[in-house]
Amino acid sequence: MILILLGPPGAGKGTQAERIVQTRGVPQLSTGDMLRAAIQSGSPLGQKVQAIMDRGDLVSDEVIEQIITARIREADCAKGFILDGAVRTTGQAEMVDRVLKNQERSLDVVIELAVDEDELVNRLGNRIDEAKAAGKPVRADDNEETFRKRQAVYRDQTAPLIPYYEKQGKLRKVDGMGTVAEVASAIDAILDEIAAE
Ligand code: AMP
């Protein structure tokens, strides 16, 4: 099963992707996690993207193409994978379509987590407080100013993917404002339906 999770920063894509990894046995490909790992390791790629990520902008489509194409060639992606926040521009969507076509594969479904932007900002505040209380590090781009910038970037550059995938007949919308369990069961219903096709 090849699945894309679409939705603004803080919508819960990562939480849901982690659960799908457990229930469906396909890996989660989060370009955000891969880029943060590159920064952590001090690699040339990490050095190149750090300032861009810190200010909440998108890294180039070329960088994403490199990391995605290398990753989906790995053996654990043979059964499928979840692209979690990994497709954020029309150029990236076209690239993923192209790469999959070359491998004689195709996307099964794109699930959009629909959420309310103001509510996401409130949730961010809670997430920061919880992380601090637990002594966990807070992401450099998880502060209100950069978070709002990331929302604007989503609106401008990523939201156009909604009509893109609608046209392909691949888009399914889920209300992302429910509890983690409610969102999970809505996603499960869609994945069960697709698995049965
Ligand atoms: P995330 O962890 O998905 O919220 O991503 C954190 C940051 O990594 C984003 O704000 C971007 O700067 C960068 N990033 C992650 N994935 C992509 C992508 N597919 N295209 C461009 N930039 C990305």
Side-chain angles (χ1 to χ4, degrees), residues 8-10 13 30-36 49-61 63-64 67-68 84-89 92 139 141-142 146 150 153 158:
K13 300 184 296 294
S30 157
T31 39
D33 285 349
M34 294 179 206
L35 293 167
R36 278 185 289 278
V49 300
Q50 178 154 29
I52 301 170
M53 287 175 69
D54 282 352
R55 61 172 191 265
D57 281 324
L58 295 183
V59 308
S60 71
D61 286 356
V63 163
I64 297 301
I67 58 181
I68 289 282
D84 157 20
V87 184
R88 280 165 125 117
T89 65
Q92 291 175 19
R139 273 172 54 171
D141 59 355
D142 266 352
T146 312
R150 289 160 58 207
V153 167
T158 310

Side-chain angles (χ1 to χ4, degrees), residues 53-136:
M53 287 175 69
D54 282 352
R55 61 172 191 265
D57 281 324
L58 295 183
V59 308
S60 71
D61 286 356
E62 290 71 30
V63 163
I64 297 301
E65 176 162 4
Q66 272 173 25
I67 58 181
I68 289 282
T69 52
R71 183 65 186 88
I72 67 179
R73 271 199 294 266
E74 288 177 30
D76 64 334
C77 290
K79 275 200 311 183
F81 47 86
I82 311 158
L83 291 168
D84 157 20
V87 184
R88 280 165 125 117
T89 65
T90 310
Q92 291 175 19
E94 290 167 350
M95 176 273 290
V96 168
D97 284 346
R98 196 174 59 242
V99 170
L100 290 176
K101 194 164 175 220
N102 285 340
Q103 298 185 344
E104 296 178 0
R105 308 167 89 184
S106 67
L107 205 54
D108 290 297
V109 65
V110 178
I111 298 182
E112 180 202 351
L113 297 182
V115 290
D116 177 89
E117 198 176 310
D118 288 330
E119 179 57 25
L120 292 184
V121 177
N122 291 337
R123 285 187 186 179
L124 170 78
N126 294 339
R127 237 189 14 242
I128 293 173
D129 291 346
E130 279 167 20
K132 281 185 182 156
K136 288 187 189 155

